Amino acid sequence: MRLKLTRFKESNLFWPLCILLVLLVINGFLTRGFFSIQWKDGRLTGILVDILNRSTYIGIIAIGLTLVIATGGIDISVGSVVAISGAIAAFLIGGELVMRGSEQILVTRTPMGIAIFIALVASTLIGMWNGFLVARFRIQPIVATLVLMVAGRGIAQLITNGQIITIYYAPYYFIGNGSILGIPFSLYVLATVLILVTLITRKTALGLFIESIGVNRTASNYSGIKEQRIVFWTYAFCSFCAGISGLLVCSNVKSADGNNAGDMFELDAIFAVIIGGTSLNGGKFRLGGAVLGAIIIQTLTTMIYSIGVPPQVNLVIKSIVVFAVSMIQSEYFQSLFRMERPVSLRRNYYL
Amino acid sequence: MNKKTLPFFITLGLFLLMYAAGSLAYPNFFSLQVFINLFIDNAFLGIAAVGMTFVILSGGIDLSVGSVVALTTMISADLLQREWSPAVVIPAVLLLTSLFGTFQGIMIQVFRIQPFIATLAGMFFARGACYLISIDTINIDNEWYRSVSMAAIELPTGDFISINVFIFILLALIGWWLLKFTRFGRTVYAIGGSEQSAMLMGLPVTRTKILIYTLNGFCSGLAGVVFTFYMLSGYALHCKDLHLDAIAAVVMGGTLLTGGVGSVEGSIIGVLILGTIQTIINFQGTLSSWWTRIMVGVLIFAFIFMQSLLNRPTKQTQ
Amino acid sequence: MQDESAALLSMQNISKYFPGVRALSKINFSLFPGEIHALMGQYGAGKSTLIKIMTGVYQPDEGDMYFQGQKFHVESPEHAQNMGIATVYQEVNLCPNLTVAENLLLGREPRSFMGIRWKTLLSESQRIIKEKLELDLDPTRPLGSYSIAIQQMVAIARALCVRSTVLILDEPTSSIDETEVERLFSILRKLKQEGLAILFITHFINQVYEISDKITVLRNGEYVGTARTKDLPKINLISMMVGKNPEEIVDTEVHKNVKINEGSQQEILCTSGLGRNGYLKPLDLSLYKGEVLGLAGLLGSGRTETAKLLFAAERAMEGSVYWYGKQVYPQSPSDTISLGMGFCPEDRKTEGLLGDLSVRENIILALQAKRGILNYLQRKNQEEIANRLIAELGIITPGTEQPVKNLSGGNQQKVLLARWLATNPEVLILDEPTRGIDVGAKGEILQRILSLRDTGFAIVFISSELEEVVAISDRVAVFRDKKKVAEIQGDEIAEHTIMQLIAQGE
């Protein structure tokens, strides 16, 4: 039993889970009925359900982003991809009132399946562009993805023509609002992506290769790993995930806003990945941790909202949490905590 | 001109090219006033870019600049509303933002938090702090501020220039001098080239890095003061994406995001390029504002692509 | 024995601990002015750690230091420099993005109230280059545009700029060749005469005997002893470093059965005109099964370049490659690996090992890459393979899950070798496999290479230690200035012959 506890403690899901538990307990005290879940209109409702539902937007992105970060890179264009994906779907679907027979029904401009398909393809193409710059031309990831972060919103607005496109097509609402067996559909999407990616990375050599590339790209290349190809596809997949998230978001609010959709998503997603236990330097990655990180962020947001503080204060709290977590994770702090001689400021240079 | 100064000349060339294109396309473009307006309208961005140059040269990054500018406007507006004197308000905000920079520098250097994360948190914090002061805009009625804002100094040519421009140019000159003529500046380059080497060479790396972020905090604060003169209001959403524009300007100016290579003068030209794009779009009249975003994205791409070609590391042989 | 009180720098009972490791234990050491003092020991003996304490990079956990008779404490590299201790580190610790002139005077730039005086800086740096280095360098060029060897010389010149009383050099000759070593030594002799105390770490025994007055040996973090160089025979020195009596020292001479190419061997790999502009001149080379082909030459002569082109780690621009007589077109390492090649790069740390990954993961990596992404080796299989190779090669590690960065240099090299053996290659290219490995382990690796050869492997062997090349190669290809200039085999293989060929070639 003791051995199991120690192993669990050392497993990298320990700290994120602890943080989440602490947050949940605090919430439990602050909000009456925080933990209550009810069944209404054929679906589960409650604050907890709400948190899980909303955390999927960042959570799905965080899964793709984890793989990118694990290769030693980063993708800051995901927020813009969310906007573009939603914009494409909204543009293609639109929704107008049309007379069919003697009824007035809402019709979509393009078959919904095709609209979704195109949105996802576009998102993936953006990722392939990023991947091409990083893998083939060896451009620094933050610089390469900066291009689309900046231009992407312009493109999204171009598609929506600067307006907010409202979608008038009920079937589409299901993606962001529907539920199966009472559980929100978005959770199914998140779970599917998480399970698929976990299986693919752990049951094949892909996970090992990605970690290897993150630790030492040259050595991985010399060991016969097709490093360029793998890096390329991680960026493509990450944007694909952002595309999925974009569809969920736009469906949830039944509209696409080229300017504001996905605002600051990249920052939240990166934060989720880090809190989940993957290092920004690359190497070992934790998919489950990233999803936990996304849930933590959402719990934090909800907590602030529910205690009646203006939602903007959310930002201050988030920043304090980021600082606190980073400080605690830092070596300097760890050495203070263990009451050893504080690690010399210069130590980290000579590892 | 050699490999090192080539990027600067390309940047300069691009600016001149764009300006020429605008002049050819629109009759009133080629006037001194339009040129001066580039400075007037972008003074705050220019000041922020100067600070950002130092940060990026050292191999770091600062995402909080936009939020700090907004915070500056907010605090200024709030204090002025409470009848504080500008003579107290301005030094106060500058001190505050500098200390904020120092805090971030300590997080980055002592606690070894990655600059991206530390300044990301800083960005959240500053933006959130704005909202704590006020969710809505606070307008500035202060006499002195208004007079500074309206001040249009007439040049012999009949064109007008604002005080912001002088502040901008003065700061740019100081920044240029610091980088080129002080040990502090050379240490910045050294750290960007190889932090470990700089340390082993006996350079005061810790002190310098914290100073860099302090300086950047000061620049953000000064940019905020200038922006306050420009907009006469405090608002949490001011300069929402300023950090992106500042980074874009610095990258276009020839500074490598990895650090060690770059200059203040390049960043200034980068700012002018951004301003020219905006001006051309304004003149065009029908193009929507998001085209600016797309153009800037395309330009950033062109520059980093060129940088990657020029800086292909020479193969190290045995 | 010299009067201790005349010592310039003295360390007493110095100890230093790192988590889980006792790097130095109660070291006593003294440095006197006007002498060149060599600090020697195996890898991991603590030499670099001792230096870093002297120069303020690390702080000692126990013990005292005395400088010119006064007790003192070095706070930082900055502090050490101000005190007069100048240091040149093993890796070039300069800034490649700055000019040579700047690197020389960084932190000490000539100033006026207006700021740095660039004209003075330039002329000052030109003077330094002329006086101290006697080289022809353009001080306005970025440092990075010069070779590593030149960069190291600049680092040395920088250390000599400041008025110092102590000069410390950590493996200064690792990246420079014969002529540059001679130049360095004449500078050092001049400085010795001026009264400087010079301490240098090196593993080149011949150089120690050429230049040093005294030798101090460390072993396993402990002080073994100090002796005057002229009073210490080589065999005793080695025995101090290794910890065995002179009689017990394993004969590092290995026995090879010299194989002469009688045409009874099968040609496995052959290149015709293989080259790359500015990298390697067109190369014709043949490799046969069951032989060791040694590549000899100076730094930068093209040996590593040849290795990388053969392995397709770098892409060739011209020429062709043949495998068992059939032409092949490898574009990347994964192509050559599928053919049946393996490559241990010269720089283990940056090109070979995945430090944070476990021993197991490092060992099976190439095999897994060969099998592809889908054909995943189950964990059990991985452990089996890893354990088998750990036993076969005698890798010392607490287990398969240990991060490979925690292993000693010799064991790291074995892990790298294990990685390739796991793929059952037919050709092995080994670039400096004995670098950074202790004397005893070196012999083991050389012997292992020979046994691999005897089982039919074709091995390309690169080493800067000429005696190693001579000891185990069946054939030797000699390189100079990125071109193969000669090939010798059998009885022709001898150190002086090779050196002559390097010098004159063709």
Side-chain angles (χ1 to χ4, degrees):
Chain A
M1 185 60 192
R2 227 169 136 222
L3 189 63
K4 260 200 166 175
L5 260 175
T6 340
R7 273 194 67 183
F8 179 62
K9 195 164 173 215
E10 268 146 36
S11 105
N12 287 342
L13 289 184
F14 179 69
W15 281 110
L17 272 176
C18 274
I19 297 177
L20 185 59
L21 266 148
V22 166
L23 283 178
L24 288 176
V25 165
I26 296 180
N27 268 302
F29 275 117
L30 288 175
T31 318
R32 295 200 53 182
F34 181 77
F35 289 108
S36 80
I37 300 181
Q38 290 151 336
W39 188 275
K40 265 197 222 160
D41 301 325
R43 59 164 68 190
L44 290 169
T45 55
I47 302 182
L48 278 178
V49 179
D50 211 37
I51 290 178
L52 283 176
N53 188 14
R54 287 182 197 285
S55 64
T56 59
Y57 308 144
I58 300 290
I60 293 177
I61 300 178
I63 294 174
L65 195 57
T66 301
L67 296 183
V68 165
I69 291 181
T71 64
I74 199 157
D75 186 344
I76 54 177
S77 68
V78 288
S80 300
V81 175
V82 165
I84 292 178
S85 161
I88 292 178
F91 177 75
L92 287 177
I93 292 179
E96 348 173 298
L97 231 41
V98 144
M99 292 297 295
R100 283 262 172 88
S102 55
E103 278 178 31
Q104 270 190 328
I105 51 174
L106 288 170
V107 198
T108 165
R109 281 228 291 260
T110 326
M112 187 172 89
I114 298 202
I116 292 177
F117 179 72
I118 293 181
L120 289 179
V121 166
S123 309
T124 312
L125 281 174
I126 292 179
M128 290 165 91
W129 164 264
N130 286 332
F132 190 60
L133 289 182
V134 173
R136 180 76 180 80
F137 288 99
R138 298 270 180 239
I139 295 179
Q140 243 194 320
I142 195 172
V143 180
T145 55
L146 178 68
V147 174
L148 268 159
M149 181 194 196
V150 171
R153 289 215 175 273
I155 296 175
Q157 287 191 287
L158 191 61
I159 298 174
T160 65
N161 208 24
Q163 321 278 10
I164 298 180
I165 301 181
T166 317
I167 302 178
Y168 297 100
Y169 186 61
Y172 184 67
Y173 301 160
F174 181 77
I175 300 174
N177 295 303
S179 56
I180 300 178
L181 296 179
I183 299 176
F185 179 67
S186 56
L187 279 175
Y188 285 95
V189 177
L190 175 67
T192 312
V193 175
L194 180 62
I195 293 174
L196 273 177
V197 175
T198 307
L199 279 176
I200 293 178
T201 53
R202 300 300 180 201
K203 291 293 179 205
T204 69
L206 188 59
L208 174 65
F209 289 171
I210 289 178
E211 287 179 356
S212 174
I213 293 172
V215 171
N216 188 331
R217 195 175 66 187
T218 314
S220 304
N221 198 16
Y222 287 359
S223 297
I225 294 175
K226 294 207 198 289
E227 163 254 327
Q228 278 193 17
R229 205 179 285 188
I230 293 179
V231 169
F232 176 78
W233 284 109
T234 54
Y235 282 90
F237 181 68
C238 180
S239 288
F240 173 73
C241 289
I244 296 178
S245 177
L247 292 175
L248 285 175
V249 167
C250 128
S251 163
N252 184 254
V253 297
K254 301 173 184 158
S255 63
D257 182 349
N259 200 22
N260 289 317
D263 190 31
M264 300 234 276
F265 271 28
E266 58 275 343
L267 307 174
D268 280 347
I270 291 174
F271 183 41
V273 172
I274 308 266
I275 230 187
T278 305
S279 161
L280 265 185
N281 295 322
K284 296 239 173 252
F285 60 88
R286 309 261 162 236
L287 292 166
V291 172
L292 268 180
I295 298 177
I296 289 175
I297 291 179
Q298 194 54 49
T299 311
L300 208 55
T301 309
T302 307
M303 179 170 91
I304 294 171
Y305 195 68
S306 67
I307 56 180
V309 175
Q312 295 80 5
V313 176
N314 188 19
L315 289 171
V316 178
I317 308 280
K318 231 190 240 183
S319 69
I320 295 178
V321 172
V322 175
F323 276 125
V325 170
S326 308
M327 275 174 68
I328 293 175
Q329 283 181 346
S330 83
E331 260 201 67
Y332 187 74
F333 187 84
Q334 302 259 349
S335 70
L336 285 177
F337 190 65
R338 284 187 243 126
M339 303 216 280
E340 298 166 351
R341 272 176 65 144
V343 174
S344 159
L345 290 184
R346 288 185 290 283
R347 186 171 188 281
N348 297 61
Y349 290 116
Y350 308 110
L351 291 173
Chain B
M1 171 155 56
N2 55 31
K3 198 171 156 204
K4 243 176 113 180
T5 55
L6 184 63
F8 174 72
F9 282 104
I10 293 185
T11 307
L12 186 61
L14 180 66
F15 168 64
L16 292 172
L17 202 69
M18 292 191 94
Y19 205 80
S23 307
L24 287 173
Y26 307 105
N28 298 322
F29 201 92
F30 195 73
S31 75
L32 189 57
Q33 188 62 59
V34 168
F35 183 72
I36 292 178
N37 282 345
L38 278 181
F39 287 82
I40 297 178
D41 293 328
N42 294 294
F44 67 97
L45 175 60
I47 295 173
V50 170
M52 187 68 92
T53 308
F54 279 79
V55 171
I56 294 184
L57 271 179
S58 72
I61 201 163
D62 191 338
L63 303 175
S64 68
V65 291
S67 309
V68 173
V69 167
L71 185 61
T72 308
T73 67
M74 206 49 135
I75 295 179
S76 307
D78 185 70
L79 291 179
L80 287 171
Q81 213 179 44
R82 295 168 200 270
E83 313 272 321
W84 284 42
S85 152
V88 179
V89 171
I90 293 181
V93 289
L94 288 178
L95 182 64
L96 198 68
T97 57
S98 303
L99 287 177
F100 184 72
T102 310
F103 174 72
Q104 290 192 138
I106 292 177
M107 285 291 117
I108 291 170
Q109 190 58 15
V110 174
F111 288 90
R112 299 252 134 226
I113 300 176
Q114 296 233 356
F116 193 87
I117 301 279
T119 58
L120 168 63
M123 174 213 251
F124 286 159
F125 185 83
R127 193 71 68 179
C130 283
Y131 284 117
L132 283 178
I133 298 178
S134 161
I135 298 187
D136 306 304
T137 317
I138 302 179
N139 284 314
I140 295 180
D141 301 317
N142 183 282
E143 278 295 315
W144 188 79
Y145 264 73
R146 294 194 88 97
S147 61
V148 170
S149 175
M150 310 289 200
I153 300 151
E154 192 172 341
L155 294 173
T157 57
D159 299 302
F160 293 91
I161 201 168
S162 78
I163 295 192
N164 282 348
V165 179
F166 289 112
I167 301 179
F168 170 34
I169 293 182
L170 184 62
L171 183 78
L173 283 173
I174 295 177
W176 173 80
W177 179 80
L178 277 176
L179 272 184
K180 191 133 171 80
F181 287 97
T182 64
R183 287 195 186 158
F184 167 69
R186 303 324 294 178
T187 307
V188 171
Y189 279 104
I191 294 174
S194 164
E195 195 168 326
Q196 169 156 347
S197 296
M199 158 68 64
L200 288 174
M201 284 165 106
L203 296 175
V205 169
T206 307
R207 196 166 74 217
T208 306
K209 273 186 89 171
I210 296 181
L211 255 179
I212 289 173
Y213 285 92
T214 307
L215 177 66
N216 191 39
F218 176 81
C219 288
S220 304
L222 188 61
V225 170
V226 163
F227 195 72
T228 317
F229 289 149
Y230 190 59
M231 295 292 273
L232 284 179
S233 70
Y235 183 38
L237 286 177
H238 276 326
C239 296
K240 198 161 88 82
D241 288 323
L242 187 68
H243 61 287
L244 289 180
D245 287 329
I247 293 174
V250 170
V251 167
M252 287 201 276
T255 302
L256 288 183
L257 269 171
T258 37
V261 176
S263 65
V264 162
E265 52 271 30
S267 304
I268 307 280
I269 308 279
V271 171
L272 291 180
I273 292 179
L274 287 177
T276 310
I277 296 176
Q278 190 63 55
T279 312
I280 291 180
I281 290 186
N282 288 346
F283 264 72
Q284 212 276 354
T286 59
L287 275 184
S288 321
S289 62
W290 55 80
W291 277 105
T292 321
R293 292 243 140 266
I294 298 181
M295 273 300 309
V296 174
V298 168
L299 273 181
I300 294 180
F301 167 68
F303 270 91
I304 63 179
F305 196 72
M306 175 192 71
Q307 273 181 8
S308 82
L309 289 177
L310 274 181
N311 286 306
R312 279 211 175 290
T314 46
K315 295 265 175 276
Q316 285 291 0
T317 54
Q318 190 174 18
Chain C
M1 204 57 220
Q2 259 169 307
D3 179 11
E4 284 297 314
S5 60
L8 193 50
L9 180 65
S10 175
M11 307 180 88
Q12 293 183 9
N13 283 320
I14 296 285
S15 299
K16 176 74 186 161
Y17 302 94
F18 290 120
V21 176
R22 191 199 56 190
L24 290 176
S25 169
K26 301 207 191 305
I27 305 287
N28 290 302
F29 174 75
S30 300
L31 196 59
F32 292 85
E35 77 176 4
I36 297 181
H37 197 131
L39 183 62
M40 302 198 71
Q42 310 257 56
Y43 289 89
K47 315 184 292 285
S48 274
T49 313
L50 190 63
I51 298 291
K52 286 181 174 158
I53 290 180
M54 276 183 208
T55 56
V57 175
Y58 293 151
Q59 303 298 315
D61 294 316
E62 282 170 19
D64 301 308
M65 288 199 286
Y66 295 85
F67 189 66
Q68 292 174 327
Q70 306 270 15
K71 201 158 167 193
F72 82 115
H73 184 70
V74 188
E75 304 284 339
S76 67
E78 203 184 337
H79 184 201
Q81 273 190 29
N82 293 340
M83 281 173 52
I85 301 176
T87 320
V88 181
Y89 294 94
Q90 190 173 3
E91 292 100 24
V92 177
N93 281 120
L94 296 178
C95 302
N97 57 322
L98 298 175
T99 60
V100 172
E102 279 201 82
N103 271 291
L104 282 173
L105 293 165
L106 202 52
R108 305 191 269 264
E109 298 91 337
R111 297 186 295 189
S112 66
F113 72 94
M114 292 269 289
I116 297 177
R117 297 170 60 191
W118 286 95
K119 272 222 176 79
T120 318
L121 187 103
L122 185 59
S123 57
E124 184 62 20
S125 61
Q126 277 166 335
R127 184 187 65 80
I128 294 170
I129 293 174
K130 200 133 177 270
E131 268 179 31
K132 312 256 187 218
L133 287 183
E134 295 148 21
L135 269 179
D136 187 20
L137 289 179
D138 178 4
T140 60
R141 267 175 69 178
L143 186 75
S145 66
Y146 283 110
S147 71
I148 300 274
I150 304 279
Q151 291 184 33
Q152 189 67 313
M153 300 298 281
V154 173
I156 292 169
R158 177 186 162 85
L160 300 177
C161 278
V162 190
R163 187 144 307 144
S164 14
T165 45
V166 177
L167 176 63
I168 302 179
L169 303 150
D170 189 350
E171 299 275 9
T173 58
S174 311
S175 328
I176 64 182
D177 66 32
E178 304 285 315
T179 25
E180 282 148 351
V181 170
E182 277 318 306
R183 190 180 292 136
L184 173 64
F185 282 1
S186 69
I187 294 174
L188 290 181
R189 285 188 194 101
K190 208 167 66 159
L191 290 170
K192 180 176 100 165
Q193 297 210 325
E194 291 170 15
L196 211 59
I198 301 175
L199 174 67
F200 90 108
I201 300 179
T202 181
H203 63 275
F204 290 111
I205 297 188
N206 293 337
Q207 289 178 8
V208 169
Y209 278 90
E210 192 186 328
I211 190 81
S212 68
D213 302 307
K214 285 212 211 116
I215 304 176
T216 292
V217 177
L218 297 183
R219 192 177 68 238
N220 289 334
E222 288 173 354
Y223 172 74
V224 178
T226 305
R228 288 196 170 282
T229 311
K230 56 186 203 285
D231 297 333
L232 186 71
K234 260 190 212 176
I235 197 75
N236 289 10
L237 171 62
I238 296 184
S239 103
M240 281 169 85
M241 283 169 60
V242 165
K244 297 200 182 117
N245 287 327
E247 303 81 54
E248 293 170 16
I249 291 197
V250 173
D251 199 350
T252 54
E253 261 199 40
V254 288
H255 302 288
K256 63 171 169 173
N257 302 318
V258 180
K259 284 189 181 165
I260 302 174
N261 184 12
E262 298 164 342
S264 58
Q265 282 176 304
Q266 199 180 9
E267 184 190 77
I268 183 169
L269 180 63
C270 168
T271 73
S272 168
L274 189 71
R276 184 181 157 123
N277 206 8
Y279 189 68
L280 187 71
K281 301 225 175 70
L283 172 77
D284 298 329
L285 195 69
S286 292
L287 189 64
Y288 298 87
K289 291 190 75 143
E291 76 163 352
V292 175
L293 172 66
L295 303 187
L298 296 177
L299 278 173
S301 57
R303 297 167 296 157
T304 296
E305 288 81 348
T306 301
K308 287 193 173 166
L309 284 184
L310 286 177
F311 189 62
E314 293 290 344
R315 214 170 289 176
M317 302 256 168
E318 48 180 335
S320 29
V321 181
Y322 300 86
W323 183 259
Y324 283 111
K326 224 173 62 157
Q327 185 163 15
V328 289
Y329 308 90
Q331 298 295 314
S332 69
S334 66
D335 294 333
T336 51
I337 292 173
S338 354
L339 284 176
M341 292 201 234
F343 174 50
C344 288
E346 178 192 358
D347 194 339
R348 275 197 297 274
K349 246 194 317 185
T350 60
E351 294 179 340
L353 293 167
L354 299 134
D356 289 321
L357 295 187
S358 66
V359 170
R360 167 185 54 91
E361 286 165 320
N362 269 277
I363 289 181
I364 55 110
L365 195 65
L367 175 61
Q368 181 65 69
K370 201 169 170 182
R371 289 161 64 104
I373 291 182
L374 291 176
N375 204 355
Y376 190 48
L377 279 167
Q378 291 310 312
R379 178 68 178 250
K380 232 182 61 175
N381 294 353
Q382 289 184 15
E383 285 176 4
E384 247 179 68
I385 296 173
N387 281 319
R388 172 173 58 89
L389 283 160
I390 288 175
E392 217 177 281
L393 292 175
I395 302 174
I396 300 174
T397 167
T400 55
E401 299 314 304
Q402 184 77 216
V404 103
K405 64 184 177 191
N406 292 344
L407 265 53
S408 76
N411 287 307
Q412 286 178 347
Q413 184 65 47
K414 289 183 185 176
V415 168
L416 209 44
L417 199 55
R419 176 187 297 169
W420 296 112
L421 293 180
T423 65
N424 279 323
E426 296 184 80
V427 172
L428 258 184
I429 304 172
L430 306 171
D431 196 347
E432 303 279 5
T434 59
R435 177 175 286 180
I437 297 187
D438 295 332
V439 169
K442 262 195 227 266
E444 204 193 320
I445 295 214
L446 293 175
Q447 196 63 60
R448 197 167 293 283
I449 296 177
L450 283 177
S451 37
L452 286 173
R453 177 201 70 174
D454 291 334
T455 56
F457 277 71
I459 299 179
V460 177
F461 176 69
I462 300 176
S463 173
S464 318
E465 311 261 1
L466 216 40
E467 53 182 47
E468 284 180 3
V469 175
V470 167
I472 68 167
S473 306
D474 299 306
R475 282 190 306 137
V476 175
V478 182
F479 285 78
R480 183 158 54 91
D481 294 334
K482 307 218 184 0
K483 188 174 147 105
K484 182 182 87 166
V485 293
E487 247 186 66
I488 53 178
Q489 58 190 24
D491 291 330
E492 302 173 305
I493 300 178
E495 279 186 56
H496 66 268
T497 320
I498 296 179
M499 292 205 280
Q500 261 185 333
L501 286 169
I502 292 177
Q504 297 153 356
E506 224 132 59

